[in-house]
Amino acid sequence: MKIPFLSFELLHSAIRPEMVTAFENFYDSYWYVLGDRLVEFEKLYSEFNQIKHTVGISNGLDAIYIALKTLEIQAGDEVIMPSNTFIATVLAVSYTGATPVFVEPNLETYLLEPTKLEAAITSRTKAIIPVHLYGQACQMDEIGAIANRFGLKVIEDNAQAHGALYRNRMTGTFGDINATSFYPGKNLGALGDAGAITTQDDSLASKAKMLRNYGSQQKYRHDVIGYNMRMDELQATFLSVKLNYLNEWTEKRMEIAKRYREQLISCKSIILPVVHPDATHVYHLFVIRTERRDKLQEFLQENGIGTLIHYPIPPHLQKAYTHLGYVKGDFPIAEELAKTSLSLPIWPGMNFNQVDYISDRIKSFFT
Ligand SMILES: *Cc1c(COP(=O)(O)O)cnc(C)c1O
């Protein structure tokens, strides 16, 4: 059996007629940037998240960057983030001139550990970026309480967790201003690059809108040095269609994860992802851990099963960040996760036969 790590085939063939019609309407609208379709998607995404504002941005990395800029994060500031995040979180902070400060995640949930935050806070700290990594919501109440106590801003990186909940409230609604990505492989994915900011705050939302569009609110009047970081009208068109299916697709991801757990619980050589009792997990990724990760990945490849590693090198050991002066051993949990994590295929449209085959191959590897 051949099972790719990710396939859009079933997902996209099922909605093809709707997507093609939406494209034709876009094509015939003769309006291609900052038009009605983006406004429509922003409205729909705000409704989905039960939040006041969505601002469509060119991609997830730019969305984090714009979020930081609206909060006026700058050189000399420090911004706290988990030591095991995807590089985009770190890059966005670097663009502002601020210094990324890493805090180790919880070894079971892989998420920013609130009890370790306080030790990382200095007089320069301005903001915390919790990352709902792999699709599980961070402990936002605990993180928010610490942020409040120290007067820090919170920016959620919600690129992997559209629709996940912490104590029944959706990710992307806790922070002062939050960022998400609609990269094609994300749980809600465009057919190209796209991202967004979400916020309850009117003035932050209008500032973000200005920043994404040349620092302009009124055509040819520029109040700040802005950027061209707008979500594409075409991507907004596709995303409005796909948003209707997000809940259904999330349920499918959850069912696949449940099946993996049932099949793999007996396999004592691997560690399954742990979900915090107050959080939900929308399974952007299903990440297992084993000391024999590389050999297991090779074995699964030989058996036709595609897997990936998220992520093989933690940010503090990336060449791009040698100037921060970190060495191996500085963030042992992030390093351990990088060494032992393996992401199994999980996409809506996968069937239980495929999940069972993958699980069976994993068990046979260890016996
Ligand atoms: C994908 C991702 C981003 C960046 O999004 P892009 O749209 O690819 O720029 C940022 N943070 C996390 C955690 C991501 O997974």
Side-chain angles (χ1 to χ4, degrees):
M1 207 187 290
K2 254 194 129 53
I3 307 168
F5 178 71
L6 171 65
S7 169
F8 291 112
E9 197 176 328
L10 280 162
L11 210 75
H12 282 176
S13 61
I15 61 169
R16 191 175 197 282
E18 256 186 290
M19 291 286 267
V20 169
T21 302
F23 170 74
E24 285 173 349
N25 291 338
F26 158 82
Y27 194 89
D28 295 337
S29 74
Y30 305 120
W31 191 283
Y32 305 117
V33 171
L34 289 183
D36 295 343
R37 284 172 176 75
L38 177 56
V39 173
E40 172 73 4
F41 174 70
E42 289 173 336
K43 183 173 144 270
L44 293 170
Y45 194 69
S46 294
E47 282 167 12
F48 177 86
N49 286 282
Q50 295 172 303
I51 195 156
K52 209 161 166 195
H53 301 283
T54 297
V55 181
I57 304 288
S58 35
N59 57 61
L61 169 57
D62 290 350
I64 305 170
Y65 176 60
I66 297 257
L68 290 158
K69 291 299 278 186
T70 63
L71 297 174
E72 295 174 14
I73 304 294
Q74 57 190 352
D77 295 341
E78 291 176 0
V79 178
I80 293 175
M81 66 188 68
S83 53
N84 61 329
T85 189
F86 177 56
I87 199 69
T89 325
V90 198
L91 293 174
V93 170
S94 298
Y95 295 170
T96 68
T99 304
V101 171
F102 303 114
V103 165
E104 288 267 68
N106 180 291
L107 185 57
E108 292 197 323
T109 62
Y110 314 143
L111 301 177
L112 189 64
E113 176 52 57
T115 59
K116 291 184 190 158
L117 275 174
E118 204 170 323
I121 296 170
T122 73
S123 57
R124 291 167 178 258
T125 309
K126 289 286 155 57
I128 303 172
I129 310 184
V131 182
H132 307 298
L133 199 69
Y134 306 152
Q136 178 173 188
C138 295
Q139 289 171 263
M140 290 312 300
D141 291 346
E142 290 79 352
I143 293 167
I146 293 167
N148 274 341
R149 188 142 57 87
F150 289 89
L152 308 177
K153 302 292 184 190
V154 174
I155 303 160
E156 291 170 70
D157 179 340
N158 196 30
Q160 301 191 357
H162 316 104
L165 304 171
Y166 187 69
R167 293 185 181 153
N168 285 320
R169 185 166 152 196
M170 231 176 252
T171 54
T173 68
F174 291 90
D176 293 275
I177 182 164
N178 310 300
T180 191
S181 163
F182 306 113
Y183 179 78
K186 301 283 155 88
N187 285 25
L188 178 61
L191 307 191
D193 279 307
I197 277 167
T198 55
T199 182
Q200 297 286 13
D201 187 299
D202 298 346
S203 78
L204 290 179
S206 62
K207 208 161 154 190
K209 280 190 176 168
M210 191 160 77
L211 283 170
R212 77 172 170 183
N213 190 36
Y214 306 124
S216 170
Q217 279 177 312
Q218 217 181 327
K219 210 169 172 73
Y220 305 128
R221 285 193 51 158
H222 304 275
D223 302 335
V224 295
I225 298 177
Y227 310 92
N228 179 347
M229 294 185 173
R230 309 168 293 223
M231 185 196 286
D232 220 81
E233 190 77 356
L234 175 60
Q235 297 309 332
T237 304
F238 291 136
L239 284 167
S240 289
V241 174
K242 290 185 77 177
L243 182 58
N244 290 318
Y245 297 90
L246 180 57
N247 284 333
E248 185 186 318
W249 291 336
T250 299
E251 273 166 38
K252 289 196 167 144
R253 286 177 185 275
M254 288 173 164
E255 282 165 17
I256 294 163
K258 185 161 172 267
R259 185 76 171 195
Y260 268 130
R261 287 182 190 282
E262 287 164 3
Q263 298 291 309
L264 292 172
I265 189 82
S266 59
C267 183
K268 297 300 171 203
S269 308
I270 61 169
I271 299 166
L272 294 172
V274 173
V275 183
H276 188 281
D278 292 339
T280 70
H281 199 316
V282 296
Y283 294 103
H284 173 57
L285 298 170
F286 192 86
V287 179
I288 63 167
R289 294 207 297 118
T290 162
E291 292 299 328
R292 297 176 62 199
R293 192 268 313 275
D294 292 344
K295 284 268 175 288
L296 174 61
Q297 183 175 39
E298 213 179 283
F299 174 82
L300 292 176
Q301 193 58 50
E302 285 159 11
N303 284 271
I305 300 162
T307 59
L308 287 175
I309 296 165
H310 299 91
Y311 300 92
I313 305 169
H316 71 281
L317 297 179
Q318 293 286 353
K319 193 171 160 199
Y321 282 102
T322 42
H323 62 276
L324 293 179
Y326 291 116
V327 293
K328 236 186 197 143
D330 282 345
F331 297 98
I333 296 180
E335 290 167 30
E336 172 71 13
L337 295 177
K339 241 187 347 221
T340 57
S341 296
L342 187 67
S343 304
L344 303 181
I346 187 164
W347 31 273
M350 253 181 97
N351 60 48
F352 283 174
N353 281 340
Q354 292 170 312
V355 178
D356 294 353
Y357 172 72
I358 295 165
S359 305
D360 175 72
R361 293 290 80 212
I362 291 171
K363 285 186 274 192
S364 86
F365 172 80
F366 286 107
T367 50

